[in-house]
Short mmCIF file of all heavy atoms in Angstrom, two decimals:
data_model
loop_
_atom_site.label_atom_id
_atom_site.label_comp_id
_atom_site.label_asym_id
_atom_site.label_seq_id
_atom_site.Cartn_x
_atom_site.Cartn_y
_atom_site.Cartn_z
N ALA L 1 0.82 -1.21 0.00
CA ALA L 1 0.00 0.00 0.00
C ALA L 1 0.86 1.26 0.00
O ALA L 1 0.43 2.31 -0.46
CB ALA L 1 -0.93 0.01 1.21
N VAL L 2 2.06 1.14 0.55
CA VAL L 2 3.07 2.21 0.42
C VAL L 2 4.24 1.59 -0.34
O VAL L 2 5.25 1.20 0.24
CB VAL L 2 3.53 2.75 1.78
CG1 VAL L 2 4.42 3.99 1.58
CG2 VAL L 2 2.33 3.11 2.66
N PHE L 3 4.08 1.49 -1.65
CA PHE L 3 5.11 0.84 -2.44
C PHE L 3 6.39 1.67 -2.46
O PHE L 3 7.50 1.15 -2.46
CB PHE L 3 4.61 0.61 -3.88
CG PHE L 3 5.64 -0.05 -4.75
CD1 PHE L 3 5.87 -1.41 -4.64
CD2 PHE L 3 6.39 0.69 -5.67
CE1 PHE L 3 6.84 -2.03 -5.44
CE2 PHE L 3 7.35 0.08 -6.46
CZ PHE L 3 7.57 -1.29 -6.35
N ASP L 4 6.22 2.99 -2.48
CA ASP L 4 7.38 3.89 -2.47
C ASP L 4 6.93 5.22 -1.87
O ASP L 4 5.74 5.45 -1.65
CB ASP L 4 7.93 4.09 -3.89
CG ASP L 4 9.42 4.42 -3.90
OD1 ASP L 4 9.97 4.78 -2.83
OD2 ASP L 4 10.05 4.33 -4.97
N PHE L 5 7.91 6.07 -1.59
CA PHE L 5 7.61 7.36 -0.97
C PHE L 5 8.42 8.46 -1.65
O PHE L 5 9.61 8.29 -1.92
CB PHE L 5 7.94 7.32 0.53
CG PHE L 5 7.54 8.57 1.27
CD1 PHE L 5 6.24 8.76 1.72
CD2 PHE L 5 8.47 9.59 1.51
CE1 PHE L 5 5.87 9.92 2.40
CE2 PHE L 5 8.11 10.74 2.18
CZ PHE L 5 6.81 10.91 2.63
N ASP L 6 7.75 9.57 -1.91
CA ASP L 6 8.40 10.73 -2.52
C ASP L 6 9.09 11.54 -1.43
O ASP L 6 8.45 12.24 -0.66
CB ASP L 6 7.35 11.59 -3.24
CG ASP L 6 7.93 12.88 -3.79
OD1 ASP L 6 9.16 13.04 -3.82
OD2 ASP L 6 7.13 13.76 -4.18
N THR L 7 10.41 11.44 -1.37
CA THR L 7 11.16 12.07 -0.28
C THR L 7 11.26 13.59 -0.42
O THR L 7 11.83 14.24 0.46
CB THR L 7 12.58 11.48 -0.16
OG1 THR L 7 13.23 11.53 -1.44
CG2 THR L 7 12.52 10.04 0.31
N THR L 8 10.69 14.17 -1.48
CA THR L 8 10.63 15.63 -1.54
C THR L 8 9.43 16.17 -0.74
O THR L 8 9.32 17.38 -0.55
CB THR L 8 10.53 16.15 -2.99
OG1 THR L 8 9.24 15.84 -3.53
CG2 THR L 8 11.61 15.56 -3.86
N LYS L 9 8.55 15.29 -0.30
CA LYS L 9 7.36 15.72 0.45
C LYS L 9 7.68 15.84 1.94
O LYS L 9 8.09 14.86 2.57
CB LYS L 9 6.20 14.74 0.23
CG LYS L 9 5.71 14.68 -1.21
CD LYS L 9 5.04 15.97 -1.65
CE LYS L 9 4.43 15.85 -3.03
NZ LYS L 9 5.43 15.69 -4.10
N LEU L 10 7.49 17.03 2.47
CA LEU L 10 7.72 17.26 3.90
C LEU L 10 6.37 17.27 4.61
O LEU L 10 5.79 18.32 4.91
CB LEU L 10 8.47 18.58 4.11
CG LEU L 10 8.88 18.91 5.56
CD1 LEU L 10 9.65 17.77 6.21
CD2 LEU L 10 9.69 20.20 5.60
N SER L 11 5.85 16.07 4.84
CA SER L 11 4.58 15.88 5.54
C SER L 11 4.87 15.72 7.02
O SER L 11 5.74 14.93 7.41
CB SER L 11 3.87 14.64 5.01
OG SER L 11 3.66 14.72 3.62
N ILE L 12 4.14 16.46 7.85
CA ILE L 12 4.44 16.49 9.29
C ILE L 12 3.19 16.10 10.08
O ILE L 12 2.14 16.75 9.97
CB ILE L 12 4.91 17.89 9.73
CG1 ILE L 12 6.10 18.35 8.88
CG2 ILE L 12 5.27 17.90 11.21
CD1 ILE L 12 6.40 19.83 8.99
N PHE L 13 3.31 15.04 10.87
CA PHE L 13 2.23 14.58 11.76
C PHE L 13 2.22 15.48 12.99
O PHE L 13 3.24 15.65 13.66
CB PHE L 13 2.49 13.12 12.13
CG PHE L 13 1.47 12.53 13.05
CD1 PHE L 13 0.15 12.37 12.67
CD2 PHE L 13 1.85 12.08 14.32
CE1 PHE L 13 -0.78 11.79 13.51
CE2 PHE L 13 0.92 11.49 15.17
CZ PHE L 13 -0.39 11.35 14.77
N THR L 14 1.04 16.05 13.29
CA THR L 14 0.96 17.06 14.35
C THR L 14 0.20 16.61 15.59
O THR L 14 0.28 17.26 16.63
CB THR L 14 0.26 18.32 13.80
OG1 THR L 14 -1.11 18.01 13.50
CG2 THR L 14 0.95 18.86 12.56
N ARG L 15 -0.54 15.53 15.50
CA ARG L 15 -1.47 15.19 16.57
C ARG L 15 -0.75 14.86 17.89
O ARG L 15 -1.32 15.04 18.97
CB ARG L 15 -2.36 14.03 16.14
CG ARG L 15 -3.67 13.95 16.93
CD ARG L 15 -4.65 12.96 16.34
NE ARG L 15 -4.13 11.61 16.39
CZ ARG L 15 -4.23 10.73 15.40
NH1 ARG L 15 -4.82 11.08 14.28
NH2 ARG L 15 -3.74 9.52 15.52
N SER L 16 0.51 14.41 17.80
CA SER L 16 1.24 14.06 19.02
C SER L 16 1.50 15.26 19.93
O SER L 16 1.74 15.09 21.13
CB SER L 16 2.58 13.40 18.66
OG SER L 16 2.36 12.16 18.01
N VAL L 17 1.45 16.47 19.36
CA VAL L 17 1.62 17.66 20.20
C VAL L 17 0.25 18.26 20.56
O VAL L 17 0.17 19.39 21.05
CB VAL L 17 2.53 18.72 19.53
CG1 VAL L 17 3.93 18.18 19.36
CG2 VAL L 17 1.96 19.18 18.20
N GLY L 18 -0.80 17.51 20.29
CA GLY L 18 -2.13 17.94 20.70
C GLY L 18 -2.77 18.97 19.80
O GLY L 18 -3.73 19.63 20.20
N LEU L 19 -2.26 19.09 18.57
CA LEU L 19 -2.79 20.08 17.63
C LEU L 19 -3.18 19.41 16.32
O LEU L 19 -2.46 18.54 15.82
CB LEU L 19 -1.74 21.16 17.34
CG LEU L 19 -1.32 22.05 18.52
CD1 LEU L 19 -0.10 22.88 18.14
CD2 LEU L 19 -2.47 22.95 18.96
N ALA L 20 -4.33 19.82 15.78
CA ALA L 20 -4.70 19.38 14.44
C ALA L 20 -3.76 20.04 13.43
O ALA L 20 -3.22 21.13 13.67
CB ALA L 20 -6.14 19.76 14.13
N GLY L 21 -3.59 19.40 12.30
CA GLY L 21 -2.73 19.97 11.27
C GLY L 21 -3.17 21.34 10.84
O GLY L 21 -2.35 22.24 10.59
N ILE L 22 -4.49 21.55 10.75
CA ILE L 22 -5.01 22.85 10.32
C ILE L 22 -4.73 23.92 11.37
O ILE L 22 -4.52 25.09 11.04
CB ILE L 22 -6.53 22.77 10.00
CG1 ILE L 22 -7.03 24.09 9.39
CG2 ILE L 22 -7.32 22.36 11.22
CD1 ILE L 22 -6.38 24.48 8.09
N GLU L 23 -4.67 23.53 12.65
CA GLU L 23 -4.32 24.49 13.69
C GLU L 23 -2.87 24.93 13.57
O GLU L 23 -2.55 26.11 13.72
CB GLU L 23 -4.59 23.88 15.07
CG GLU L 23 -6.06 23.67 15.37
CD GLU L 23 -6.29 22.99 16.70
OE1 GLU L 23 -5.71 21.92 16.94
OE2 GLU L 23 -7.07 23.53 17.51
N VAL L 24 -1.99 23.99 13.29
CA VAL L 24 -0.58 24.31 13.09
C VAL L 24 -0.42 25.20 11.85
O VAL L 24 0.33 26.18 11.85
CB VAL L 24 0.27 23.03 12.96
CG1 VAL L 24 1.72 23.37 12.67
CG2 VAL L 24 0.17 22.20 14.24
N TYR L 25 -1.14 24.85 10.80
CA TYR L 25 -1.16 25.65 9.57
C TYR L 25 -1.53 27.10 9.87
O TYR L 25 -0.88 28.05 9.43
CB TYR L 25 -2.16 25.01 8.61
CG TYR L 25 -2.51 25.77 7.35
CD1 TYR L 25 -1.86 25.49 6.15
CD2 TYR L 25 -3.52 26.73 7.35
CE1 TYR L 25 -2.20 26.16 4.99
CE2 TYR L 25 -3.86 27.41 6.20
CZ TYR L 25 -3.20 27.12 5.01
OH TYR L 25 -3.54 27.79 3.87
N ASP L 26 -2.60 27.29 10.64
CA ASP L 26 -3.07 28.64 10.97
C ASP L 26 -2.07 29.39 11.85
O ASP L 26 -1.81 30.59 11.64
CB ASP L 26 -4.43 28.58 11.68
CG ASP L 26 -5.57 28.24 10.72
OD1 ASP L 26 -5.41 28.46 9.50
OD2 ASP L 26 -6.63 27.77 11.20
N ILE L 27 -1.51 28.70 12.85
CA ILE L 27 -0.54 29.36 13.75
C ILE L 27 0.70 29.78 12.97
O ILE L 27 1.22 30.89 13.17
CB ILE L 27 -0.17 28.42 14.91
CG1 ILE L 27 -1.39 28.16 15.80
CG2 ILE L 27 0.98 29.01 15.74
CD1 ILE L 27 -1.19 27.03 16.80
N LEU L 28 1.20 28.91 12.12
CA LEU L 28 2.39 29.25 11.34
C LEU L 28 2.16 30.47 10.47
O LEU L 28 3.02 31.35 10.35
CB LEU L 28 2.80 28.05 10.48
CG LEU L 28 3.52 26.91 11.22
CD1 LEU L 28 3.63 25.68 10.33
CD2 LEU L 28 4.92 27.35 11.67
N ARG L 29 0.98 30.54 9.85
CA ARG L 29 0.68 31.69 8.98
C ARG L 29 0.45 32.96 9.79
O ARG L 29 1.01 34.02 9.48
CB ARG L 29 -0.56 31.38 8.14
CG ARG L 29 -0.93 32.50 7.15
CD ARG L 29 -2.35 32.33 6.64
NE ARG L 29 -3.31 32.36 7.74
CZ ARG L 29 -4.23 31.42 7.96
NH1 ARG L 29 -4.33 30.38 7.16
NH2 ARG L 29 -5.07 31.52 9.00
N ASP L 30 -0.37 32.86 10.83
CA ASP L 30 -0.80 34.05 11.57
C ASP L 30 0.26 34.58 12.52
O ASP L 30 0.36 35.80 12.72
CB ASP L 30 -2.08 33.75 12.36
CG ASP L 30 -3.26 33.40 11.45
OD1 ASP L 30 -3.20 33.72 10.25
OD2 ASP L 30 -4.23 32.79 11.96
N GLU L 31 1.05 33.70 13.12
CA GLU L 31 2.01 34.13 14.14
C GLU L 31 3.45 34.16 13.65
O GLU L 31 4.28 34.87 14.22
CB GLU L 31 1.92 33.19 15.36
CG GLU L 31 0.53 33.11 15.98
CD GLU L 31 0.05 34.43 16.54
OE1 GLU L 31 0.91 35.24 16.97
OE2 GLU L 31 -1.18 34.68 16.54
N TYR L 32 3.76 33.39 12.59
CA TYR L 32 5.15 33.28 12.17
C TYR L 32 5.38 33.66 10.71
O TYR L 32 6.50 33.55 10.20
CB TYR L 32 5.67 31.85 12.42
CG TYR L 32 5.65 31.48 13.88
CD1 TYR L 32 4.52 30.88 14.46
CD2 TYR L 32 6.75 31.73 14.69
CE1 TYR L 32 4.50 30.55 15.81
CE2 TYR L 32 6.74 31.39 16.04
CZ TYR L 32 5.61 30.81 16.59
OH TYR L 32 5.60 30.49 17.93
N ASP L 33 4.32 34.08 10.03
CA ASP L 33 4.43 34.45 8.60
C ASP L 33 5.02 33.33 7.75
O ASP L 33 5.83 33.56 6.85
CB ASP L 33 5.27 35.73 8.43
CG ASP L 33 4.57 36.95 9.02
OD1 ASP L 33 3.32 36.98 9.01
OD2 ASP L 33 5.27 37.86 9.48
N ILE L 34 4.61 32.11 8.05
CA ILE L 34 5.03 30.95 7.27
C ILE L 34 3.78 30.33 6.65
O ILE L 34 2.86 29.93 7.37
CB ILE L 34 5.77 29.91 8.15
CG1 ILE L 34 7.09 30.51 8.67
CG2 ILE L 34 6.02 28.62 7.37
CD1 ILE L 34 7.81 29.61 9.66
N GLN L 35 3.75 30.27 5.32
CA GLN L 35 2.58 29.74 4.62
C GLN L 35 2.83 28.29 4.21
O GLN L 35 3.63 28.01 3.32
CB GLN L 35 2.27 30.57 3.38
CG GLN L 35 1.06 30.10 2.59
CD GLN L 35 -0.22 30.16 3.41
OE1 GLN L 35 -0.59 31.21 3.92
NE2 GLN L 35 -0.90 29.03 3.55
N MET L 36 2.15 27.36 4.87
CA MET L 36 2.25 25.95 4.52
C MET L 36 1.32 25.65 3.35
O MET L 36 0.43 26.45 3.02
CB MET L 36 1.89 25.09 5.73
CG MET L 36 2.76 25.33 6.95
SD MET L 36 4.47 24.76 6.72
CE MET L 36 4.28 23.02 7.17
N GLU L 37 1.47 24.48 2.74
CA GLU L 37 0.61 24.09 1.63
C GLU L 37 -0.80 23.78 2.12
O GLU L 37 -1.77 24.23 1.54
CB GLU L 37 1.21 22.89 0.90
CG GLU L 37 0.32 22.27 -0.16
CD GLU L 37 0.04 23.18 -1.34
OE1 GLU L 37 0.71 24.23 -1.46
OE2 GLU L 37 -0.85 22.85 -2.14
N PHE L 38 -0.91 22.99 3.17
CA PHE L 38 -2.22 22.72 3.74
C PHE L 38 -2.08 22.09 5.13
O PHE L 38 -1.00 21.64 5.52
CB PHE L 38 -3.08 21.82 2.84
CG PHE L 38 -2.74 20.35 2.90
CD1 PHE L 38 -3.35 19.52 3.83
CD2 PHE L 38 -1.85 19.79 2.02
CE1 PHE L 38 -3.04 18.16 3.89
CE2 PHE L 38 -1.54 18.44 2.05
CZ PHE L 38 -2.14 17.62 3.00
N GLY L 39 -3.17 22.10 5.85
CA GLY L 39 -3.26 21.38 7.10
C GLY L 39 -4.56 20.61 7.11
O GLY L 39 -5.59 21.11 6.65
N ASP L 40 -4.53 19.39 7.61
CA ASP L 40 -5.76 18.61 7.72
C ASP L 40 -6.02 18.29 9.19
O ASP L 40 -5.63 19.05 10.07
CB ASP L 40 -5.71 17.37 6.82
CG ASP L 40 -4.55 16.44 7.16
OD1 ASP L 40 -4.17 16.36 8.34
OD2 ASP L 40 -4.03 15.78 6.24
N ILE L 41 -6.64 17.18 9.46
CA ILE L 41 -6.99 16.86 10.83
C ILE L 41 -5.78 16.50 11.68
O ILE L 41 -5.71 16.82 12.86
CB ILE L 41 -8.02 15.70 10.87
CG1 ILE L 41 -9.31 16.12 10.15
CG2 ILE L 41 -8.33 15.28 12.30
CD1 ILE L 41 -9.95 17.38 10.71
N ALA L 42 -4.78 15.88 11.07
CA ALA L 42 -3.64 15.40 11.86
C ALA L 42 -2.28 15.70 11.24
O ALA L 42 -1.26 15.29 11.80
CB ALA L 42 -3.77 13.89 12.09
N ASN L 43 -2.25 16.37 10.10
CA ASN L 43 -0.98 16.59 9.40
C ASN L 43 -0.94 17.98 8.77
O ASN L 43 -1.98 18.58 8.48
CB ASN L 43 -0.82 15.57 8.26
CG ASN L 43 -0.89 14.13 8.73
OD1 ASN L 43 0.12 13.52 9.04
ND2 ASN L 43 -2.09 13.58 8.80
#
């Protein structure tokens, strides 16, 4: 099901720090002026 992985993709799991991916996305943009590609429920 994961035959290979594109190592250019910087996907980050966020749930372990108690934050949804979209929350991290918003904080990075609003507080640090860093625009991520997207945030979902856990990444």
Side-chain angles (χ1 to χ4, degrees):
V2 188
F3 180 77
D4 208 345
F5 185 83
D6 174 12
T7 52
T8 71
K9 296 292 186 293
L10 184 53
S11 303
I12 305 165
F13 179 64
T14 66
R15 202 170 63 223
S16 295
V17 296
L19 295 169
I22 187 61
E23 292 177 307
V24 176
Y25 171 97
D26 286 338
I27 294 168
L28 283 169
R29 182 196 60 233
D30 297 342
E31 303 297 330
Y32 297 90
D33 292 330
I34 295 174
Q35 181 62 56
M36 302 291 275
E37 172 65 12
F38 79 89
D40 59 32
I41 298 303
N43 303 268

